[in-house]
Amino acid sequence: MSLASLENLSIRFGDRQVLSNINLRIEAGARVGLVGESGSGKSLTALSLMNLLPESAEASGVIHLNFGQHVKIDATQLGEDLPFPYRGAQIGMVFQEPMTALNPLMRIGDQIGEVLALHRPDLNTKAHIGQLLEEVDLRADMHRRYPHELSGGQRQRVGLAMALAGEPELLIADEPTSALDMITQRGVIDLIKRIASARQMGLLFISHDLGAVAALCDQIYVLEKGKLVEHGDSQTILKNPQQPYTQRLVAAAKPTKRPEFSRPAQREPLLEIDGLTRQFRQKRYFWQSPDITTAVDQVSFALHSGETLGLVGPSGCGKTSLSRMVAGLDSAQGGSVQFDGHRFGHGVGPIPMAARREISMVFQDPFSSFDPRMRMQDALLEPLHLMPELTTAQKQKRVHEAVQRVGLSIDMLNRYPHAFSGGQRQRLAIARAIVLKPKLLILDEPVSALDVSIRGDVLALLHDLQEKFGMAYLFISHDLDVVRAVTDRVMVMDHGKIVEHGKVEDVFDHPQAEITKKLLDARLTI
Amino acid sequence: MRMFKQFASNFRHPSFAIGFVLSAVLIVLALLSLVWTPHPTDGVNIAARFGSPSLEHFLGTDFFGRDIFSMLMAGALTSLRVAVLAVGIGMVVGVPLGLLAAGHGGWLERLILRFNDFVFAFPAIITAIIITTLFGPSAINAMIAIGIFNIPVFARVARGGALSIWTLDYVDAARLSGLKVWQISVRHVLPNILSLLIVQATIQLSLGILAEAGLSYIGLGTQPPETSLGLMLKEAQSFFLAYPMQAVWPGLTIIIFVMALNLMGDGLRDQMDPKLSKAGGINVAG
Amino acid sequence: MVGYLIQRLLGVALTLLVAAALIFFLLDVLPGDPARFMLGINASDEALNALRQQLGLDQPAFVRFGQWLMGLFTGDLGMSASQRAPIAELILERMQLSLPLAFGALVLSTLIGLPLGILAAQNQGKIGDAGLMGLAQIGIAIPNFWFAMLLVVVFAVTLKWLPPGGFVPWAENPAAAFRALILPTIALALPQAAILARVMRTSLVDVARQDFIRTARAKGLSKNQALWRHGVRNALLPVMTIMGLQFAFLIAGTIIVENVFYLPGLGRLIFTAISARDLFVVRSALLVLVGLVVIIMFLVDLLYALVDPRLKKRAGN
C-alpha cells in the first residue's frame, strides 16, 4: 500500500478542465517529482492532497492516504467541511514564495510553535523549536527574528521547519526553490534531500525545472496541460524520454553550443567600460549621514562587434545595475563608457542621442515589456523616435522588416499585447530592439521567464540575428548552461566587482574565483 | 469601438449596472432642470405651502409653496455641479502632481508628499470656514473647499498607480527610445492609471455631494435664492417636527445619489487590474 | 524607534507651524486692516484706533504672529472682542463638548465597524456578506446630520428616551451631559462605522488571499482560525491609516452635528465669531482643529510603528 495516491483525479473551474485523470502514487520514503510548465496544473495536484483547493474548483476522483490506516477520500467531497486532520501533521507543505509565505508580523519561532501547539503540544518548547531551526541549517537563536530580518533562503528554511514540525510522513514542496538564486537553491535542494532521507519521509516535489527534480527525486511524473504524459524512474525518463514533450524538456535542460561564425578581425572594441561605479545612498533620518552601498565597483571591460559577452553572478551582485548604466538608463557615480566613438558617464554627461540609437535592450519579463494599452504596431514604432529623419513609410517598413526577421507575421501588429503568448512577446521584444539596427544589444535574462520548451527557439533566433547583423551582445543570465552555450567570453561578478573574466570554456572548466566555483557547483544538470 | 466594448462589458457587473442607471437618471433629471421643471422653482405661493402629495405636486410643496420635486431637480443640479467641479479641481491639480512625484522622485517627490500630508490636515469644512470668513458663504466657496481637499486625494492615487507603472519594463523600453519623463507619463503612465483615476473620481463625486450637503446645511455653502440638496435640508430643519417629509425627500435624494455613484465606482473597481487597484485606491469621506 | 519618533515629532511641529502661518496670513494679513474688517466700513477712527491698541494691531505682522505663537504655549490667546472673555478659556470650555463627541464617535464606530467588517470577510460571497455590505453602502451614503434629525424624531420626540438637544456642563451634571451626547455620538459614529466595516472587509479579504494565510492553513488551521490568528492583525494596518484620515471628518462632523442638537461646541463658537467678525477667535479655534487632526495622524503613525516590525525597513517615509 503506498503512502498516498491519486486515482483519476480531475479538476475543473466551471467549463475549464485543468486536470484530467491524474494517477500518481507516492510510496513511503520515496521522492517523487512532478514536472510541468506554468499552468500545467501541478500546483493544483498538490493542493488537492492537502485539501486546500480553491473554493471554485470542482474535483473528482479518489485520493488514498495511508498513514497507519488506509483512508479513501472521494475528491468531490474535498472542501472546508471535510474533516481533514492530516494537514500540517502527517502531510507538511512548503510553498514557492519565501517573501510572502510567512506572516510578517509574527516572530518565526512563534510561527513554528503554532504548528507544534496544534499537532504536538508535548513538544512545544523553545528547545524543540531551536532543534527544528538547526535541522534546517539555521541558528537556534533566530527564533526571535521577524521574517523581514531573514534572507529569501533563510525564510524558505523557516517554511521547511514549519512543515517538518508536525513530523509529517509526506512532505509536499511546491516550487520551493524557484524564487531563490542558484546558490541558495542548491543549498535548499540538498537540505530537503538530506532531511527526507534522514526522516524517511515521502516527498512530492513540484517544479518546472527538470534539473532540480533530477537532483532530488527517484521518480518523475511529467504533466502537460493537465494531463500526465509520462512517468517512470528518473534515470529512464532523463536518459530515454519517450514522449515528444518530455524529449523537448530534456533537450532544453541541456542547451547545445551553437556553431561559431566567422567575424571580421577588428582591433578597436565597440564598447569600452572604464572604472564604472554605481552607488546607492540611503538615509533613515535627515540628520544622519547616508549609508552608501556600492552596487557596481570600478568595473572595466571591452566588447567587440559580433561578439557575445556573458555576465554571470549571484543575485544582487550588481549585474543589472551595470547593464542599466551601459544602456544609459542609470547614471554612474564614477567611470565612463566609450561606445562607438561616443563617451558618456561620470563627469562626461548623459548618453548622447546618437549613441542611444545604437544600444537596445531585451528584458526578462515578456509580460511587462509592452504597454497593455498600446497596439504592437505603436510599441514597435516607439524606438524610431530616435530617427526623426525617417519618413512614416520608412519607419513602417523598418517595423515590418523587424517583425518578419523574428519570424512573426505583420498582420498581427494591430493587436494589443494581451493577444500574444509569452514566447511571441519575447520575439516582439527582440523585434523592437532591432528596429533601430543597433550595434549593441543588452539581453537581461532574455529566456529566464519563458517556458523551458521554447527557450531554445528564442536563443536560436538571437544567434541567427547576430550572424546576420553582426551585433554585439551583452548577455546576462543566472543559467550557466545557457551562458556556456551562447557566449564567447564570460565575466563573473560578485559584490559589484568583476572577479573573473575569460573565454567561457576556460572560466567554466577551470574556475579560479571562489564565487565561480560555488556557482558551478550549484548547477542542476541532468 | 474597443472603448465601447470595454465600457459595455462593465454592465455584466450588477452593482455597476444598477449604479450607472440610477446615476444616469438622477443626472438627467438634474440637467433637465436647466430648461424645464414641472413647476417654477422661484415663485412663492404662501397659500399652497406644505401641500401634501397630489397629482399636481406629487411630492407635495414646501414652506414657500414651491413644488418639492422641482426643487429636488434644481437642488440636485447645484449639488452635482459643486461635486463635479470639485473633482475637476482635484484632478487637474492633483494628477499632475502625482505623476510628477512618481516620475521625478527625489526631493520633488518628498516635497509633494509633505504638501499632501499638509492639505490632508485641512478638512473641507476648515477651508470653507476660512473662505467664508473672508468672502462670505456661497456655492463656489464650498466647491473650492472640497476641491482643495480633493487635490491630495488624486495626487496620492496618481502617484501610487504611477509608481507601480514605473517599475515595468515597457517604461525602460520607452526611456531607451529617448522619451522624456513627461512624455512617458503622458504616453504610458496616464493611460494605464486612467481606470484607477475614474474609480476615484466616482468616489470623490459621491463624497462631494455629501460634503456639499454638510457645508450648505451649516450655512457655509449654497445660499438662497439658489437651492441645493443640503440647503433644502437646512430650510426643512425648522419645521422638521411638524413636517418631517420636507427633510425626508432631499435626504433620500442624497442617499440614492451617493449610493448610485458608489455602486458604480465599486463595479468599476472590481473589474480593474487588481495589482493596480492595490497600488493606489483610497477611500476617504469628504 | 527613538529616531523615528524624533523625526515624526519634528514633522508634526513643522506642519503645525506652517498651518499657523497660513491661517495667520489668510485671516490677519490678507484682509488688510483687521480692525476695519472687524468693525466694518462705517467705523469711526477713534473706535478703530482703540481696537488696534487693545488688540496690539499697531505692531508689525511678524511680531503679532510671534505673539500668537507664544500665546499658544502660554495659554494667553488674547481677549475675544465680541464675547469679552479670554479666547483660551472660550475654546477650552467648548472642547469639553467637542472632544468627547469626536472621540466617543471614534471609539463607537471602531467597536461597531471592525467586527462587522471581519464578519463580512469571513462570509465572503455569502448572503451575510452581501447583507452587511448592502447596509454599509446605505450607511456611507447617509449624511450624518440628516441621520441626527431622524434620531431626534425617534428617540427624543417620539420615545422621549433622550433629550432632543442642549447641553449641561460636565461640572454641573455629569449624567445629563453624558445623556446629551449620546444621540450626537451615534449620529456621527454609524456612518463612520459603515465606512470602517467596508475598509476592514476589503483589507481582510485582500489579506486572506495572501500566501501566508495559505501557509497557516497548511499548518492545519481552519479558514477562520487562519483569518483570526494571522489575517486580522495584518488587515488592521491599512485600516489604521484610514482611521487616522477619517478622524479629520469626525471633527468636521462634530461641527455639523452640533447644529442639529443646538450644542455649544467649537462649531458654534466659530460661527458666532464669524458673524461677529471676531477674527482672533476664528484663527485660534481653527488652529486647534488642525492641531487635533495632525496629532491624531501622528498617533496613528506611532501605533503603526508599534504593530509593524517592518518599520525599520520603511523608515524615513
Side-chain angles (χ1 to χ4, degrees):
Chain A
M1 199 71 220
S2 45
L3 189 64
S5 63
L6 301 173
E7 195 182 316
N8 289 325
L9 178 76
S10 299
I11 293 175
R12 64 192 171 90
F13 291 96
D15 301 334
R16 202 161 53 89
Q17 188 80 30
V18 286
L19 274 186
S20 329
N21 295 317
I22 303 296
N23 287 288
L24 182 151
R25 45 177 67 236
I26 306 159
E27 305 297 333
R31 296 196 297 269
V32 176
L34 182 58
V35 189
E37 294 179 346
S38 53
S40 62
K42 51 191 194 305
S43 290
L44 286 172
T45 311
L47 292 175
S48 65
L49 271 171
M50 290 291 276
N51 187 22
L52 278 180
L53 286 174
E55 278 172 31
S56 50
E58 295 166 63
S60 64
V62 181
I63 297 171
H64 298 274
L65 296 175
N66 195 9
F67 305 118
Q69 68 181 63
H70 175 226
V71 186
K72 198 172 149 185
I73 297 167
D74 177 1
T76 54
Q77 303 295 311
L78 288 176
E80 176 79 359
D81 298 332
L82 176 79
F84 197 84
Y86 316 107
R87 196 195 296 147
Q90 285 86 354
I91 315 178
M93 186 158 177
V94 187
F95 296 96
Q96 174 171 5
E97 281 299 330
M99 292 312 180
T100 51
L102 302 177
N103 182 347
L105 303 186
M106 202 170 175
R107 295 181 197 277
I108 60 167
D110 297 339
Q111 300 196 45
I112 297 172
E114 192 177 18
V115 187
L116 295 170
L118 277 169
H119 305 292
R120 294 300 304 269
D122 52 316
L123 290 178
N124 191 5
T125 60
K126 224 172 98 178
H128 187 67
I129 291 171
Q131 272 175 25
L132 281 165
L133 285 171
E134 277 169 354
E135 188 177 356
V136 296
D137 293 346
L138 293 173
R139 290 198 319 275
D141 62 2
M142 283 182 170
H143 69 95
R144 286 188 56 78
R145 301 257 183 108
Y146 286 100
H148 73 270
E149 297 169 311
L150 302 175
S151 71
Q154 287 173 327
R155 292 189 212 189
Q156 205 53 298
R157 284 163 205 266
V158 172
L160 186 58
M162 273 163 40
L164 294 174
E167 315 215 320
E169 293 172 51
L170 171 62
L171 178 69
I172 302 177
D174 186 1
E175 301 261 17
T177 61
S178 308
L180 305 175
D181 71 65
M182 296 297 284
I183 298 174
T184 319
Q185 163 169 355
R186 182 73 207 208
V188 172
I189 283 178
D190 290 345
L191 178 70
I192 292 177
K193 189 170 187 174
R194 200 179 75 211
I195 292 173
S197 17
R199 289 193 172 222
Q200 292 286 305
M201 276 185 313
L203 173 70
L204 177 61
F205 182 81
I206 294 162
S207 181
H208 70 283
D209 183 351
L210 202 55
V213 173
L216 194 49
C217 302
D218 7 76
Q219 285 168 54
I220 297 180
Y221 286 76
V222 182
L223 199 57
E224 185 195 12
K225 292 180 185 139
K227 295 197 173 72
L228 277 179
V229 290
E230 194 164 1
H231 72 99
D233 69 86
S234 300
Q235 289 315 309
T236 321
I237 297 254
L238 296 174
K239 292 262 152 52
N240 194 9
Q242 297 300 312
Q243 297 298 320
Y245 180 72
T246 321
Q247 286 164 355
R248 254 191 296 150
L249 285 186
V250 172
K254 32 185 177 188
T256 47
K257 186 99 188 167
R258 302 276 155 194
E260 294 235 3
F261 46 81
S262 60
R263 278 193 298 270
Q266 28 180 291
R267 261 167 283 133
E268 286 292 302
L270 173 72
L271 174 75
E272 219 175 343
I273 304 289
D274 182 25
L276 214 53
T277 300
R278 170 88 181 139
Q279 290 175 332
F280 292 101
R281 302 159 157 262
Q282 200 193 6
K283 52 181 173 180
R284 285 182 57 190
Y285 307 116
F286 64 84
W287 58 82
Q288 285 178 329
S289 54
D291 294 335
I292 297 175
T293 37
T294 306
V296 178
D297 192 1
Q298 302 268 355
V299 167
S300 304
F301 66 88
L303 176 58
H304 290 85
S305 294
E307 188 188 21
T308 301
L309 176 62
L311 178 58
V312 299
S315 63
C317 72
K319 46 187 198 289
T320 299
S321 293
L322 175 59
S323 67
R324 289 176 66 85
M325 281 190 292
V326 174
L329 287 175
D330 270 345
S331 53
Q333 269 85 52
S336 64
V337 179
Q338 180 85 39
F339 172 78
D340 194 31
H342 308 284
R343 200 158 158 254
F344 56 94
H346 183 68
V348 196
I351 184 167
M353 279 300 164
R356 189 145 244 168
R357 63 159 80 166
E358 303 295 349
I359 304 180
S360 279
M361 204 164 170
V362 175
F363 304 95
Q364 174 171 2
D365 180 4
F367 288 90
S368 77
S369 283
F370 289 97
D371 183 341
R373 302 209 170 250
M374 192 176 266
R375 286 175 206 276
M376 247 341 146
Q377 163 87 13
D378 299 322
L380 295 190
L381 275 170
E382 195 168 76
L384 294 168
H385 271 282
L386 290 166
M387 306 188 89
E389 70 274 17
L390 295 187
T391 64
T392 314
Q394 284 171 317
K395 288 181 180 174
Q396 198 65 260
K397 196 166 152 254
R398 281 246 185 162
V399 169
H400 289 177
E401 277 171 16
V403 170
Q404 282 157 347
R405 281 258 180 255
V406 299
L408 293 173
S409 142
I410 53 168
D411 41 82
M412 302 164 91
L413 284 177
N414 257 331
R415 301 191 194 159
Y416 286 88
H418 65 86
F420 297 90
S421 72
Q424 284 176 325
R425 289 193 204 197
Q426 204 62 327
R427 282 170 185 274
L428 287 162
I430 294 170
R432 175 173 60 190
I434 62 171
V435 5
L436 288 167
K437 300 190 177 151
K439 294 182 174 154
L440 170 64
L441 197 51
I442 297 170
L443 303 159
D444 188 358
E445 304 266 8
V447 295
S448 307
L450 302 180
D451 277 331
V452 185
S453 54
I454 52 174
R455 287 182 189 176
D457 301 342
V458 172
L459 290 174
L461 170 67
L462 287 170
H463 185 80
D464 293 346
L465 290 172
Q466 190 175 37
E467 189 166 5
K468 278 194 190 94
F469 297 116
M471 287 177 285
Y473 285 170
L474 179 60
F475 191 100
I476 301 157
S477 180
H478 71 279
D479 187 336
L480 300 193
D481 295 313
V482 168
V483 170
R484 182 165 195 147
V486 303
T487 67
D488 309 304
R489 280 186 302 135
V490 68
M491 299 187 293
V492 184
M493 207 170 169
D494 191 25
H495 294 298
K497 286 187 157 68
I498 304 285
V499 292
E500 195 157 4
H501 184 180
K503 288 201 65 135
V504 67
E505 288 80 12
D506 296 344
V507 172
F508 283 10
D509 292 341
H510 309 287
Q512 301 299 314
E514 209 44 50
I515 192 70
T516 319
K517 290 178 191 160
K518 273 198 198 161
L519 285 169
L520 287 165
D521 284 343
R523 255 183 327 162
L524 298 161
T525 43
I526 59 172
Chain B
M1 196 55 211
R2 182 167 180 261
M3 290 271 288
F4 177 76
K5 258 193 212 157
Q6 260 182 1
F7 179 74
S9 76
N10 285 323
F11 280 90
R12 272 181 305 222
H13 198 284
S15 71
F16 175 83
I18 297 171
F20 182 82
V21 171
L22 269 180
S23 318
V25 168
L26 283 164
I27 290 170
V28 166
L29 280 177
L31 288 176
L32 188 62
S33 76
L34 279 173
V35 289
W36 177 82
T37 48
H39 295 273
T41 55
D42 47 7
V44 174
N45 182 358
I46 298 296
R49 57 192 274 190
F50 299 129
S52 311
S54 61
L55 275 181
E56 202 184 342
H57 302 283
F58 67 98
L59 296 181
T61 55
D62 72 359
F63 174 67
F64 293 109
R66 296 171 299 193
D67 177 52
I68 290 185
F69 187 77
S70 306
M71 292 297 287
L72 286 177
M73 282 170 68
L77 182 68
T78 312
S79 300
L80 186 67
R81 192 162 51 201
V82 168
V84 167
L85 290 174
V87 167
I89 293 174
M91 282 184 107
V92 166
V93 185
V95 172
L97 279 180
L99 291 177
L100 197 65
H104 194 282
W107 64 270
L108 191 59
E109 182 174 28
R110 280 196 296 275
L111 189 72
I112 291 173
L113 286 175
R114 271 250 153 271
F115 167 77
N116 264 5
D117 285 349
F118 182 74
V119 181
F120 266 133
F122 283 81
I125 196 165
I126 292 185
T127 316
I129 287 172
I130 295 177
I131 304 177
T132 303
T133 314
L134 293 173
F135 306 110
S138 70
I140 294 174
N141 172 351
M143 185 188 83
I144 293 174
I146 302 167
I148 288 178
F149 191 80
N150 279 340
I151 292 173
V153 172
F154 280 102
R156 192 171 153 151
V157 171
R159 173 178 170 268
L163 280 180
S164 72
I165 302 292
W166 272 95
T167 63
L168 298 175
D169 290 338
Y170 62 79
V171 170
D172 277 339
R175 290 183 59 203
L176 285 174
S177 304
L179 297 186
K180 298 191 170 54
V181 168
W182 70 266
Q183 287 172 313
I184 294 174
S185 293
V186 172
R187 222 172 122 86
H188 292 294
V189 179
L190 195 57
N192 280 294
I193 63 168
L194 203 59
S195 53
L196 198 64
L197 296 174
I198 291 173
V199 168
Q200 197 64 42
T202 56
I203 293 168
Q204 295 312 117
L205 209 55
S206 76
L207 297 175
I209 287 174
L210 272 179
E212 191 281 334
L215 291 178
S216 295
Y217 172 75
I218 51 173
L220 294 177
T222 310
Q223 299 295 312
E226 270 190 280
T227 182
S228 82
L229 296 174
L231 186 61
M232 288 175 77
L233 284 173
K234 178 183 164 73
E235 287 169 349
Q237 196 189 4
S238 333
F239 353 95
F240 182 54
L241 296 181
Y243 301 100
M245 291 318 273
Q246 299 282 320
V248 167
W249 294 122
L252 281 181
T253 310
I254 293 173
I255 293 173
I256 293 170
F257 213 161
V258 170
M259 263 179 78
L261 289 167
N262 281 338
L263 285 172
M264 194 162 84
D266 286 356
L268 285 174
R269 187 203 302 258
D270 285 352
Q271 315 203 11
M272 218 165 50
D273 177 11
K275 253 185 282 168
L276 198 61
S277 63
K278 251 187 109 92
I282 49 166
N283 190 357
V284 288
Chain C
M1 192 65 209
V2 175
Y4 177 76
L5 202 65
I6 295 173
Q7 171 141 333
R8 287 292 291 121
L9 272 174
L10 285 174
V12 168
L14 186 69
T15 308
L16 287 178
L17 185 68
V18 176
L22 184 70
I23 291 173
F24 183 82
F25 175 77
L26 288 174
L27 295 184
D28 275 52
V29 180
L30 206 60
D33 183 355
R36 189 168 285 287
F37 186 88
M38 290 179 184
L39 293 181
I41 298 171
N42 299 324
S44 65
D45 281 349
E46 296 92 81
L48 282 172
N49 278 330
L51 185 69
R52 281 191 196 117
Q53 281 217 323
Q54 183 197 338
L55 301 178
L57 288 177
D58 38 5
Q59 310 204 38
F62 68 90
V63 175
R64 284 186 280 134
F65 181 58
Q67 282 169 346
W68 184 41
L69 280 188
M70 285 303 291
L72 288 170
F73 288 100
T74 58
D76 176 17
L77 294 172
M79 294 289 285
S80 156
S82 60
Q83 307 211 22
R84 312 240 164 250
I87 294 174
E89 232 170 68
L90 285 173
I91 291 177
L92 278 179
E93 186 191 319
R94 303 308 180 96
M95 293 273 266
Q96 62 159 318
L97 191 154
S98 296
L99 269 189
L101 187 53
F103 279 103
L106 183 69
V107 171
L108 188 62
S109 62
T110 310
L111 289 180
I112 298 171
L114 298 192
L116 289 183
I118 295 172
L119 196 66
Q122 276 182 347
N123 294 295
Q124 193 205 346
K126 295 186 197 150
I127 186 91
D129 178 29
L132 280 173
M133 284 307 108
L135 273 181
Q137 236 2 312
I138 298 173
I140 292 171
I142 293 183
N144 47 24
F145 60 93
W146 186 77
F147 185 52
M149 286 155 82
L150 288 190
L151 289 178
V152 170
V153 171
V154 176
F155 293 101
V157 178
T158 312
L159 295 172
K160 296 197 170 34
W161 288 355
L162 290 160
F167 185 72
V168 194
W170 293 96
E172 269 177 44
N173 187 345
F178 182 78
R179 279 165 57 83
L181 289 185
I182 291 179
L183 286 183
T185 307
I186 294 175
L188 273 180
L190 283 192
Q192 278 304 307
I195 294 174
L196 285 184
R198 249 177 78 101
V199 173
M200 184 71 207
R201 174 193 177 271
T202 311
S203 178
L204 192 53
V205 166
D206 260 359
V207 169
R209 276 194 224 113
Q210 289 188 17
D211 291 344
F212 63 82
I213 294 294
R214 195 178 53 182
T215 307
R217 298 204 57 200
K219 288 175 176 178
L221 296 174
S222 74
K223 200 174 145 198
N224 279 343
Q225 283 174 320
L227 272 188
W228 273 105
R229 293 195 200 175
H230 297 275
V232 171
R233 223 154 78 97
N234 278 284
L236 273 175
L237 292 177
V239 175
M240 270 164 29
T241 308
I242 301 284
M243 281 172 69
L245 290 172
Q246 289 294 339
F247 185 77
F249 302 107
L250 278 180
I251 295 272
T254 58
I255 295 178
I256 297 175
V257 167
E258 267 175 30
N259 240 24
V260 182
F261 296 94
Y262 304 100
L263 296 174
L266 269 181
R268 175 70 62 77
L269 179 68
I270 291 173
F271 290 121
T272 337
I274 292 178
S275 335
R277 308 206 138 199
D278 195 343
L279 290 177
F280 283 24
V281 172
V282 177
R283 70 174 189 194
S284 290
L286 284 182
L287 190 60
V288 166
L289 288 177
V290 172
L292 271 175
V293 173
V294 171
I295 287 166
I296 285 290
M297 287 192 183
F298 165 70
L299 289 178
V300 165
D301 273 3
L302 215 59
L303 196 62
Y304 210 114
L306 288 174
V307 178
D308 190 347
R310 286 166 298 185
L311 174 80
K312 289 191 188 92
K313 286 230 155 177
R314 32 164 219 111
N317 187 356

